[in-house]
Amino acid sequence: MTKPYRILAALMSLCAAGNTLGAKDHISPIAIVAAKDGKTVYVAGHTSRQVVIMDVAKAKPRLVTVPASPTGLALSKNGDNLFVTVAGPAGGVHVLDAKKGKVSHSLPTGHTPISPVLSPDGKTLYVCNRFNNDVSVIKLKGEEQPVRIPVLREPIAAAITPDGKYLFVANHLPVGSAHSAYVAAVVSVIDTSSGKVSASIQLPNGSTSLRGLCISPDGKYVYVTHILGRYHMPTTQLDRGWINTNAMTVIDTETLKALNTVLLDDTDLGSANPWGVTCTADGKYICVAISGAHELSVIDQAEMLKRLKEATDPEDVCNDLAFLVGARRRLDLAGNGPRGLGMVGTTAYVAEYFSNSIGVMNVDPDASPTPKASSLSLGPETKESVARKGERLFHDAKLCFQQWQSCTSCHPDGRSDSLNWDLLNDGMFNPKQSKNMLLAHKTPPAMSTGIRPKAETAVRSGIAFILFAVRQDEGDAVAMDEYLKSLEPVPSPYLVDGKLSPAAQRGGKLFYDKKVGCIKCHRGKLYTDLSMYNVASKGKYDRTDTFDTPTLIECWRTAPYMHDGKYGTMKELLTEGKHGDTHGELDKLDDKQIDDLVEFVLSL
Ligand code: HEC
Ligand code: HEC
């Protein structure tokens, strides 16, 4: 049993959501919050592990180092304290004196906390624990232990209604088998008085990669940004959003139902990778950061709601690329990779991840009919490493024909979007799960059918045949290789203080037992012998019956399982699915042993 321990120890390096943290020279602003008076904005510097306190008038940044990679920010009611969530298995919220920039104390959370939200009375802090699939409820005064409320999968953004009654939580990815007729992520609604989930609001089929969520200032609507993948179509073309469209769903806070979903794209120009969303203080405009196209989408709220009400075919709104024409402006930003958004009146502050800057734009058309974006620099320019360039390009839809998507559209954070896609490398009408990019370069061949000899080939064919790139540059592909190689595994949420739980230890013994047979193929440090096998997992659409043995590292975060995502959970894979069927002695294990084995594999 020394083997898994050694490997796990090697994995225990602190990592964030999966963004490479090698880029310490860069600040990488990811989240932003503005003081009420608008004089100061606070920025989470994701890779430099800093919080930036920016005096807006003087354009002067003050950098405060925090113990781990910050993921989200919230201000206390009087603006004196700043709550900073930081990544890592033990996570935590660091409470900073907002003026002095000193950490006063820390609050415990789960794994990779993100999107801290303060209750309107200022007494309770809610935090999404992304990799524990739950939300911490932290009472700021008194001795009460934080309560954890389970949601569905990778809660990533939250907002509370002005009356404090409901907390809306965006789950990043869909749950369940990719064979279901309907695969989509949901928004969980927590009733704050009972501490229970009172509704799960399903988004349209193909909704994935939820990133931002906000509530209109009047408390009537929730806006949530996401990708709407047209995964049931073969990826033959991009025109008119054939593969991925980019969307915002509108939820009614009274009925707790989705009103509809609008597309942020235009007929011939995509708005790839929507991220942060927020409203102007007067509620007139909804602003969405379009992280793949480096712009702000500014939607006239009243006009959009009127159109939704009057829509003759409401079911078709989520397919209508012209729906927002005339009700929305697309404004170019000066920086690259906008993510989090803050707002003072009608001035948007934008965390520009790849240019280490804050974009500033007054989006009120009366104040500035043709607004010009400017950026406040967060520090001196640093030279971009090759891996950092690759990370930027992986997230950049400008590479793509009509900027419909970027690599990250199907590989969020360099992982998988949980959808089955019908790529053309192995013929048509045989869809496969998107893959985790972690270790892809160390585990040839690439693709589940092994059709690409190595990941390098897959990267180049992705640029040519999935992005239909107009410009193809070997330097870009090399940079993407370097970025993907730099990805580090995130420690599993199944580990207890970084170690295997007792159940996982028992499961590990079974895994390494020659009779059970897992190590016949899932061998060595990376849990794969890099070979193709027929494990009787061929589905009705497949043309081949042998598949590449995948690494099992990080498979706690890559459900659904197998090349076609047939199994929604690890237990289903090993029981109902019997791992295809050629697996050694899986049949001879009793239910408890299966649970132990599941626990072990999910701990890798
Ligand atoms: C439309 C969704 C989609 C987009 C966009 C996309 N991919 Fe993929 N990618 C997939 C799917 C699906 C697979 C797995 C296919 C299979 O197993 O046959 C995959 C597999 C890969 C693999 C192989 C990994 C392995 O270990 O076998 C690499 C590398 C890869 N993609 C890189 C990229 C890059 C780089 C881009 C952008 C240029 C990109 N992808 C864009 C869907 C997508
Ligand atoms: C004969 C070789 C072989 C043996 C033995 C084997 N596997 Fe696999 N395993 C594979 C192959 C090949 C795949 C991919 C199949 C596919 O994609 O359809 C796979 C897939 C998986 C997956 C899904 C990973 C993902 O990301 O979708 C898990 C989990 C897994 N195996 C665990 C196990 C466990 C646990 C055992 C022991 C009970 C085991 N395997 C035994 C070859 C093997």
Side-chain angles (χ1 to χ4, degrees):
M1 282 303 296
T2 50
K3 211 167 173 195
Y5 284 121
R6 222 179 328 122
I7 296 156
L8 287 167
L11 298 182
M12 285 312 297
S13 55
L14 259 189
C15 338
N19 301 311
T20 163
L21 288 183
K24 281 206 190 105
D25 297 347
H26 298 277
I27 294 171
S28 314
I30 196 161
I32 201 161
V33 63
K36 271 205 195 104
D37 62 11
K39 289 185 181 150
T40 314
V41 295
Y42 302 89
V43 181
H46 193 60
T47 51
S48 67
R49 300 185 182 176
Q50 285 167 322
V51 169
V52 188
I53 305 176
M54 175 66 96
D55 179 324
V56 177
K58 295 190 188 135
K60 224 177 115 192
R62 191 146 59 94
L63 304 172
V64 179
T65 300
V66 285
S69 199
T71 55
L73 304 169
L75 272 171
S76 64
K77 224 176 155 192
N78 59 12
D80 287 352
N81 287 318
L82 182 71
F83 301 101
V84 186
T85 48
V86 301
V93 179
H94 296 289
V95 186
L96 249 75
D97 181 312
K99 300 233 156 48
K100 294 192 192 124
K102 282 233 159 60
V103 177
S104 64
H105 62 290
S106 305
L107 305 164
T109 65
H111 194 329
T112 309
I114 187 168
S115 193
V117 172
L118 198 69
S119 62
D121 64 10
K123 291 182 180 159
T124 310
L125 189 71
Y126 299 91
V127 175
C128 296
N129 298 312
R130 180 169 177 188
F131 295 131
N132 288 133
N133 304 329
D134 62 17
V135 173
S136 285
V137 182
I138 307 169
K139 298 281 177 213
L140 293 173
K141 287 227 170 75
E143 304 285 289
E144 271 176 71
Q145 280 299 311
V147 175
R148 304 265 286 260
I149 304 171
V151 288
L152 279 163
R153 186 171 183 194
E154 294 194 23
I156 196 158
I160 195 160
T161 48
D163 60 9
K165 206 167 156 204
Y166 293 119
L167 183 80
F168 287 81
V169 182
N171 293 282
H172 183 53
L173 296 174
V175 176
S177 164
H179 284 207
S180 352
Y182 202 100
V183 182
V186 306
V187 171
S188 303
V189 188
I190 293 175
D191 180 330
T192 55
S193 55
S194 69
K196 297 225 156 68
V197 172
S198 56
S200 291
I201 302 169
Q202 187 117 38
L203 306 187
N205 194 9
S207 297
T208 183
S209 290
L210 277 61
R211 285 288 181 187
L213 183 150
C214 77
I215 297 185
S216 58
D218 61 11
K220 288 188 176 162
Y221 303 99
V222 174
Y223 300 116
V224 53
T225 58
H226 56 95
I227 287 175
L228 186 51
R230 313 287 168 164
Y231 68 91
H232 35 270
M233 309 297 274
T235 56
T236 49
Q237 58 196 297
L238 278 163
D239 303 65
R240 303 181 66 91
W242 187 269
I243 302 179
N244 273 310
T245 51
N246 302 284
M248 182 180 83
T249 290
V250 184
I251 293 168
D252 184 330
T253 56
E254 205 175 298
T255 58
L256 304 184
K257 293 217 158 74
L259 269 184
N260 216 322
T261 295
V262 297
L263 295 182
L264 299 166
D265 312 296
D266 279 307
T267 317
D268 56 359
L269 193 67
S271 285
N273 309 111
W275 199 292
V277 56
T278 191
C279 297
T280 53
D282 57 14
K284 273 193 183 160
Y285 300 99
I286 309 159
C287 294
V288 182
I290 306 297
S291 69
H294 325 298
E295 55 184 42
L296 274 188
S297 222
V298 183
I299 303 165
D300 180 325
Q301 178 184 248
E303 178 61 25
M304 179 194 72
L305 292 172
K306 178 166 160 275
R307 290 183 190 188
L308 286 178
K309 211 164 163 193
E310 292 168 357
T312 44
D313 187 358
E315 304 254 302
D316 203 43
V317 168
C318 70
N319 300 318
D320 184 357
L321 288 164
F323 187 79
L324 286 179
V325 170
R328 184 271 310 263
R329 290 168 296 148
R330 298 178 65 156
L331 307 174
D332 282 333
L333 289 164
N336 188 297
R339 296 192 174 182
L341 281 178
M343 186 69 73
V344 178
T346 56
T347 300
Y349 291 92
V350 193
E352 295 171 333
Y353 192 88
F354 290 109
S355 44
N356 300 310
S357 53
I358 306 175
V360 187
M361 193 172 329
N362 188 343
V363 300
D364 178 2
D366 297 332
S368 46
T370 48
K372 233 184 121 32
S374 61
S375 283
L376 298 171
S377 170
L378 294 178
E381 294 256 330
T382 33
K383 196 176 170 317
E384 191 181 54
S385 68
V386 179
R388 172 79 171 187
K389 174 182 170 189
E391 181 180 7
R392 173 169 61 74
L393 295 172
F394 195 82
H395 291 81
D396 196 347
K398 297 272 183 194
L399 254 68
C400 175
F401 171 71
Q402 293 183 347
Q403 60 188 46
W404 289 101
Q405 59 186 3
S406 63
C407 305
T408 200
S409 298
C410 300
H411 301 293
D413 300 312
R415 269 66 183 187
S416 161
D417 62 0
S418 295
L419 297 180
N420 269 3
W421 287 102
D422 193 7
L423 304 186
L424 302 180
N425 54 47
D426 50 5
M428 250 196 258
F429 309 118
N430 49 359
K432 309 267 172 7
Q433 261 295 287
S434 169
K435 281 196 136 195
N436 192 345
M437 300 286 96
L438 178 73
L439 300 169
H441 286 74
K442 284 199 175 144
T443 57
M447 311 318 238
S448 52
T449 50
I451 202 151
R452 306 282 183 216
K454 47 187 186 171
E456 282 84 347
T457 330
V459 166
R460 281 145 192 82
S461 36
I463 297 173
F465 305 123
I466 309 182
L467 298 188
F468 296 86
V470 185
R471 179 178 72 101
Q472 283 176 53
D473 180 335
E474 176 57 16
D476 290 357
V478 168
M480 282 197 205
D481 288 333
E482 288 311 307
Y483 160 59
L484 297 177
K485 286 187 214 164
S486 76
L487 291 174
E488 287 179 38
V490 173
S492 164
Y494 290 82
L495 297 174
V496 181
D497 296 330
K499 296 205 179 78
L500 293 177
S501 69
Q505 291 183 31
R506 293 192 299 270
K509 283 198 181 118
L510 296 167
F511 188 88
Y512 285 96
D513 184 327
K514 282 220 177 74
K515 270 197 253 143
V516 180
C518 308
I519 45 159
K520 179 169 174 258
C521 313
H522 297 287
R523 219 181 16 235
K525 271 201 305 200
L526 303 180
Y527 299 92
T528 164
D529 64 357
L530 312 180
S531 303
M532 310 272 299
Y533 292 100
N534 179 352
V535 291
S537 62
K538 180 175 190 248
K540 63 178 170 189
Y541 303 115
D542 292 316
R543 282 176 213 144
T544 48
D545 51 16
T546 57
F547 296 95
D548 180 35
T549 307
T551 173
L552 300 179
I553 293 175
E554 254 196 17
C555 73
W556 55 269
R557 78 185 280 193
T558 55
Y561 298 109
M562 303 305 244
H563 69 281
D564 58 352
K566 187 171 177 189
Y567 304 101
T569 65
M570 188 62 74
K571 182 144 187 191
E572 280 164 31
L573 166 66
L574 296 184
T575 52
E576 283 161 46
K578 299 192 175 165
H579 183 283
D581 224 0
T582 314
H583 44 61
E585 300 207 339
L586 206 49
D587 286 337
K588 294 191 183 140
L589 304 184
D590 64 26
D591 201 46
K592 185 167 167 294
Q593 287 175 310
I594 292 280
D595 284 342
D596 291 346
L597 187 57
V598 165
E599 182 88 4
F600 173 74
V601 178
L602 291 176
S603 301
L604 298 175

